[in-house]
Every structure is written in structure tokens, then in C-alpha cells.
Amino acid sequence: MKITIIGGGNMGGAIAVGTAAGGRIAPDGITVTAKTEKTLEKIRCADARIRTTTDNREAVRGADLIVVAVKPWLAEEVIASFRDLLDYRRQAVASVVAGLSFDRLDAMLDNGSGIPPAMFRIIPNTAVSLGESVTFIAARGASEALLAEVVSLFDELGRTFVVEEAMMAAGTSLASCGIAFALKYLDAAIRGGQALGFDEKEARRIVMQTMQGALSLLERNGTMPRTEIDKVTTPGGLTLKGLDAMNEKGFDEAVFAGLDRSR
């Protein structure tokens, strides 16, 4: 498979670098476009084997999968600039554009050929460049074989969940926005550690290792967080006092509100 990523910004660039580091697609089978050479230079610095260009029309020629990774308000204009070149008998299109529905994407891709395109909506998070993303994929008009190929590609970049389109907004909230929510807790804990007397670097190391330990417990034991919480809380104990204080400040409600607002 040859892939062209239209838009080499934070997400498009992360997908390109992560894919190049995997084993399914040769790095020279990946092409990334951007408006400026400055953006493309960042891609080349990350992996010089990736092909780069500012010419979207040239980039889509010969690609099996075109990934649109531009800002939502630019999607229609950008797609219109190359859709006449697309051959939907052999080329599929994926969008990582937030909020861009299949219906709208289908209308944008209409090039008068009368052939419905195979389309994917893909929502990774920024850890995709490290192979540690959570990625949600929804498909329309794609064969089972093509869907399996796209899923296999993103499985190399973390954990992939195939969902109906109706669940894409929830997936965005829980995992794409969610990576910032997780980092928000870590940031608060590190600053809290400084308030307790540790310097910033010490607090960072302590909090990161604590988080890694918590994740390892869940992975190895196959448990839910509440089970592991119960193991370290006793009536009147310090952990329970700390949890009670967090609950009094509305910890759970704040998390629920953030997830709901970001859908």
C-alpha cells in the first residue's frame, strides 16, 4: 500500500512518522504534503526517507490511500483541489478531520465519476508517532479486506477500535481529547508534588512512575481501576482521606463534564 497524507501538521506528521517506523509500509511509500517547506522540513528531520511535497495533486497520483489531515474549515477547499484526479475503483480516502461526517465527506469527494468512494474516518491521538495511540476507525463503502488492511496499519501504531460512525465523537472525547485530560491530571499531580516539597524534576519522575505502575497493575491483573483502588484503601486510612477530599472537590464530576463537553 502507498499512502499520501494531505496535511503534514501535528496529526498528519505523527501518522507519517509512526507509519514509517512500522514494518507494513516502506517509508518511501509514504508521501506527506504541506503548504510550507518549513512544515515539511520537520517531517524530513523526523525521517528523511518519507517523501514530501507541497503539490497535493502530484501527491495523490499513485496513492492507494489518501489521508486528509487538515483543519476542518480547510477540508472542502483542499479536497476540491485534487478530487478530479481520484480513481475510486482503486483509491480509498480516509479523513482524520474532526467532526467531518461521512455524508459531508462523500459530498466533498464527488468528482462526477458516479463511483462511490471507499471512505474511512480515523481518529488517533498524538501518541501515534510513538506507536502508542488509541485509534478509532469507522468505514463506509470499504471491503472487509480493505478495512482489515487499514486496521492492521493502525494496529502497528497502538490499539485500534473499529466502531460505527455514531461513536466517533465519543471516541474523540475519550481518547483523542482524552490524552490531554490524562496529562492534565499528571500536570496537577506534579505541581502538587512541588507543593509537598519535591523539586519539579523529582515530582515528574515520581508521578510518571506511579502512573506507569498503576497501568501495569490494570494490564497484568486484568482488573478495573476500582478493584485496585479498593486494595489500597482502608477505613480511616490516608489514601481514603485523599480520595474523599478529591471527591468533595468534584473530581469525578469534573472528568465527566470534560468528556461530555468535548464530544
Side-chain angles (χ1 to χ4, degrees):
M1 179 181 281
K2 291 184 178 180
I3 295 179
T4 287
I5 300 172
I6 304 295
N10 290 336
M11 186 55 69
I15 293 172
V17 173
T19 302
R24 293 194 61 81
I25 298 178
D28 62 2
I30 304 167
T31 300
V32 182
T33 76
K35 288 184 67 175
T36 68
E37 284 293 336
K38 182 178 180 180
T39 299
L40 294 179
E41 182 60 27
K42 294 179 181 179
I43 305 293
R44 291 191 288 266
C45 288
D47 194 322
R49 301 171 298 173
I50 297 172
R51 299 175 61 194
T52 59
T53 179
T54 57
D55 188 341
N56 289 340
R57 291 178 65 81
E58 181 62 31
V60 301
R61 289 187 171 94
D64 300 301
L65 179 67
I66 296 97
V67 180
V68 180
V70 299
K71 299 297 184 184
W73 55 89
L74 296 175
E76 186 165 10
E77 177 185 353
V78 170
I79 290 172
S81 72
F82 61 76
R83 66 186 171 204
D84 61 300
L85 297 176
L86 300 182
D87 182 353
Y88 298 136
R89 293 169 298 181
R90 63 175 189 82
Q91 292 179 299
V93 179
S95 166
V96 298
V97 180
L100 182 58
S101 69
F102 277 137
D103 286 344
R104 289 181 59 212
L105 180 60
D106 188 42
M108 291 179 188
L109 290 170
D110 185 359
N111 60 9
S113 67
I115 302 172
M119 299 181 294
F120 299 91
R121 288 187 61 189
I122 300 175
I123 303 294
N125 62 35
T126 51
V128 71
S129 64
L130 305 177
E132 293 291 348
S133 177
V134 171
T135 301
F136 293 90
I137 297 178
R140 178 188 284 186
S143 67
E144 290 294 327
L146 180 56
L147 174 59
E149 192 168 3
V150 172
V151 169
S152 179
L153 171 65
F154 280 88
D155 273 344
E156 278 200 327
L157 308 179
R159 294 186 179 181
T160 301
F161 297 86
V162 178
V163 299
E164 297 296 325
E165 183 182 20
M167 292 301 296
M168 293 299 279
T172 299
S173 176
L174 195 58
S176 185
C177 300
I179 198 167
F181 302 157
L183 291 168
K184 179 69 173 175
Y185 166 77
L186 294 175
D187 179 66
I190 290 169
R191 288 185 286 112
Q194 292 177 264
L196 293 173
F198 295 103
D199 66 38
E200 185 180 50
K201 290 184 178 179
E202 286 178 323
R204 180 179 181 274
R205 289 196 299 268
I206 292 166
V207 170
M208 287 179 63
Q209 183 58 48
T210 301
M211 183 60 71
Q212 288 170 357
L215 294 174
S216 294
L217 285 171
L218 299 179
E219 287 280 0
R220 295 180 187 179
N221 295 339
T223 51
M224 297 296 286
R226 294 189 66 86
T227 299
E228 300 301 332
I229 290 171
D230 288 345
K231 292 178 182 179
V232 294
T233 54
T234 55
L238 295 177
T239 304
L240 188 57
K241 289 180 180 179
L243 290 171
D244 285 343
M246 291 181 181
N247 288 332
E248 289 168 7
K249 294 295 184 179
F251 184 90
D252 287 359
E253 289 77 6
V255 173
F256 297 158
L259 292 170
D260 187 60
R261 184 78 62 85
S262 61
R263 288 191 297 169

